[in-house]
Amino acid sequence: MDYLKIKGGQKLSGSISISGSKNAALPLIALSILSKKMVEILNLPDVVDIKTLIKLLSNLGANVDFKDPHSCFIDTNFINSTKATYDIVRKMRASILVLGPLLARFGHCEVSLPGGCAIGARPIDLHLSALEKMGADIKIKDGYVIASAKNGLVGANISFDKITVTGTENIIMAAALAKGKTTIINAAKEPEVVILCEILSKFGVKIEGIGTDELVIFGRDKELLEIDKIYVIPDRIEAGTYLCAGAITNSKITITKCEPKHLKAVIAKLEDMGFSFEIKGDKITILPAKQIKPIEIVTTEYPGFPTDMQAQFMAICCIASGVSVIDERLFENRFMHVSELLRMGADIKLNGHIATINGKNLEGTDVMATDLRASSALVLAALVANEVTKVHRIYHLDRGYENLEGKLSNLGAKIERLKEND
Ligand code: UD1
């Protein structure tokens, strides 16, 4: 198993480029199930979660051919099984994204229940009840969702009680091949949902309300799509994480190949902390603050402040000059990084979903990664801690950050990947 050894206290400088978005790429890979043509996907991030979903599709019989680590061809005409087994789904909850497309194309599928995960129970009840409303028969047996729609799915009016990103994506893909019109009320508006809709509409699925919380999808009654090429948008969470690396070290760095309009809430909060920005095309430069000020953050759905950036901002709050408050509204157990930051000397008090952070200096020590974004917060904290921090269990980071240590080294950080027992 690998760990990261980081020597804190280095200023960063220079520029790095942002990879394709993991959370956008996952539904786009699942979308290939709806295509009768071989799909080429470009700008894939080279991260473990992508490989996990590709493995799932290969296990179903799809032909996948990687041209290079960032682009592949997927031919789903060879699919001969519609069972997504536990051994893969347990590795990544987002595997549930194959449920809607498999059911829509083949009229039946079995997908293992994802189970619990580090950041809370994360149920899939909203995905299932929406598919039932579209005519699917759903049973839960031996830990599997067994779904069938022998005569195909039919359009329906769906109103989500909670905004769900992968739930919206699943239903959009199911609705694309359903018979008739599906309306999704209270749909997620994340850029990852928008790009999925844009690609579907480019390839012949009429969708109204793209980018709003009410989508109307006109289903093609089982007629498969002819998707040839898909380009994955830049990863706004990876981009935000590197802006936080610039912020926590109070350095001037530039990120390139990003989409500034997806980062408005993150940039606004960093401005509140005293940082300023130069934004030109797909480049963002963060400029140091005179003093890193404390802030208040409430996580919410897009375009609000993303829960996927909460841990990284908490790392900055740990060294800000004053008391910050972070209110985590989306997930009930997304403070796993707190106990590790406490080990680094942070002053954080937790009260339910609210964390109060009193800024002070951090100390290097051994810490353990617990989930994807929590792990990146520990790396950020280590960049400014006294002496050396070792971040263990970094397989969590490898799920979603491409070459994190390489990119941070390019910016001048003293960071190396080592094997446990080295
Ligand atoms: C996606 C993102 C994840 C991000 C999250 C919130 C991907 C692959 N993952 O996860 O990085 O942190 O959005 O922005 O895109 N809920 C239910 N029932 C359901 C579905 C969701 O109660 O059937 C609840 C969840 O427990 C949570 C909230 O709704 O409290 C939002 O979850 P959701 O948007 O579904 O998260 P994911 O799509 O899993």
Side-chain angles (χ1 to χ4, degrees):
M1 215 188 283
D2 295 350
Y3 72 94
L4 291 176
K5 182 176 170 192
I6 300 158
K7 183 157 183 342
Q10 309 297 317
K11 282 273 178 209
L12 304 183
S13 64
S15 80
I16 43 139
S17 73
I18 299 305
S19 298
S21 159
K22 168 182 85 71
N23 285 358
L26 292 170
L28 295 176
I29 291 169
L31 177 65
S32 68
I33 295 171
L34 301 186
S35 181
K36 64 178 166 199
K37 224 173 166 173
M38 185 157 69
V39 180
E40 181 180 15
I41 309 188
L42 301 160
N43 201 33
L44 283 169
D46 185 9
V47 298
V48 171
D49 272 8
I50 296 300
K51 295 190 179 110
T52 302
L53 189 58
I54 292 286
K55 174 108 196 300
L56 194 163
L57 284 190
S58 303
N59 284 357
L60 299 179
N63 245 348
V64 184
D65 188 13
F66 270 90
K67 284 201 307 187
D68 59 63
H70 299 110
S71 56
C72 73
F73 289 99
I74 306 177
D75 190 340
T76 55
N77 288 308
F78 296 93
I79 286 184
N80 52 18
S81 156
T82 54
K83 182 166 181 174
T85 52
Y86 177 68
D87 55 326
I88 299 235
V89 178
R90 75 184 167 87
K91 289 190 186 145
M92 185 183 66
R93 287 186 45 82
S95 307
I96 196 68
L97 283 165
V98 299
L99 176 66
L102 283 177
L103 184 60
R105 178 165 178 173
F106 299 101
H108 60 86
C109 65
E110 293 176 43
V111 179
S112 171
L113 281 169
C117 84
I119 60 172
R122 296 178 86 178
I124 54 161
D125 55 316
L126 300 172
H127 303 230
L128 301 185
S129 56
L131 289 172
E132 275 177 335
K133 217 164 170 207
M134 296 175 75
D137 177 47
I138 308 250
K139 291 192 177 65
I140 308 285
K141 194 163 177 271
D142 303 332
Y144 278 78
V145 176
I146 302 174
S148 65
K150 294 236 160 49
N151 302 317
L153 294 168
V154 283
N157 284 328
I158 288 153
S159 174
F160 281 128
D161 292 337
K162 254 190 192 173
I163 298 177
T164 162
V165 176
T166 48
T168 302
E169 291 163 348
N170 236 334
I171 300 313
I172 291 169
M173 291 189 278
L177 289 203
K179 186 181 167 82
K181 185 173 94 172
T182 298
T183 303
I184 308 179
I185 295 156
N186 211 18
K189 299 189 289 240
E190 270 65 5
E192 297 76 27
V193 175
V194 172
I195 185 70
L196 174 67
C197 290
E198 285 175 351
I199 287 168
L200 276 166
S201 67
K202 179 174 170 198
F203 291 101
V205 180
K206 187 176 163 201
I207 304 183
E208 288 171 0
I210 296 178
T212 74
D213 54 13
E214 186 168 332
L215 294 170
V216 184
I217 302 127
F218 295 83
R220 290 169 42 120
D221 196 6
K222 285 196 171 161
E223 190 194 334
L224 293 177
L225 312 176
E226 293 189 44
I227 304 174
D228 51 14
K229 212 178 248 190
I230 293 176
Y231 189 84
V232 178
I233 55 172
D235 195 315
R236 63 193 170 100
I237 305 302
E238 190 201 20
T241 303
Y242 287 110
L243 291 179
C244 287
I248 201 164
T249 56
N250 211 9
S251 306
K252 175 183 173 182
I253 63 159
T254 300
I255 56 170
T256 65
K257 287 179 74 183
C258 65
E259 181 48 89
K261 70 171 189 272
H262 295 163
L263 285 155
K264 283 185 189 160
V266 165
I267 288 173
K269 284 296 170 194
L270 287 170
E271 282 173 345
D272 291 349
M273 296 183 104
F275 300 97
S276 47
F277 291 86
E278 285 166 4
I279 301 174
K280 225 186 206 171
D282 67 355
K283 293 188 184 59
I284 304 178
T285 300
I286 178 167
L287 302 165
K290 285 201 185 73
Q291 184 194 35
I292 302 181
K293 292 185 253 179
I295 38 159
E296 291 189 4
I297 290 178
V298 178
T299 66
T300 180
E301 293 87 2
Y302 191 84
F305 186 89
T307 173
D308 284 353
M309 287 303 302
Q310 178 257 105
Q312 299 89 317
F313 269 73
M314 188 180 294
I316 310 176
C317 293
C318 286
I319 58 137
S321 48
V323 177
S324 301
V325 179
I326 297 183
D327 185 348
E328 171 57 60
R329 295 268 177 95
L330 286 187
F331 293 111
E332 76 271 25
N333 190 20
R334 204 166 199 183
F335 282 137
M336 308 281 283
H337 41 290
V338 169
S339 54
E340 301 302 303
L341 290 169
L342 291 176
R343 288 180 48 73
M344 298 179 75
D347 179 356
I348 306 170
K349 296 203 169 42
L350 272 187
N351 185 3
H353 52 86
I354 296 174
T356 307
I357 307 115
N358 194 359
K360 63 194 280 281
N361 288 338
L362 296 174
E363 311 283 339
T365 184
D366 287 85
V367 289
M368 213 166 69
T370 48
D371 73 53
L372 175 54
R373 306 304 169 187
S375 320
S376 62
L378 300 178
V379 172
L380 294 177
L383 294 176
V384 284
N386 285 337
E387 296 302 324
V388 170
T389 301
K390 292 178 181 171
V391 184
H392 301 276
R393 297 204 181 169
I394 54 164
Y395 52 85
H396 290 289
L397 277 171
D398 293 334
R399 284 188 41 211
Y401 287 96
E402 175 172 345
N403 190 20
L404 178 87
E405 69 276 14
K407 290 189 185 186
L408 282 173
S409 295
N410 282 345
L411 293 172
K414 292 248 179 311
I415 176 168
E416 51 184 335
R417 178 184 286 257
L418 297 166
K419 295 252 174 262
E420 298 286 359
N421 306 324
D422 274 7

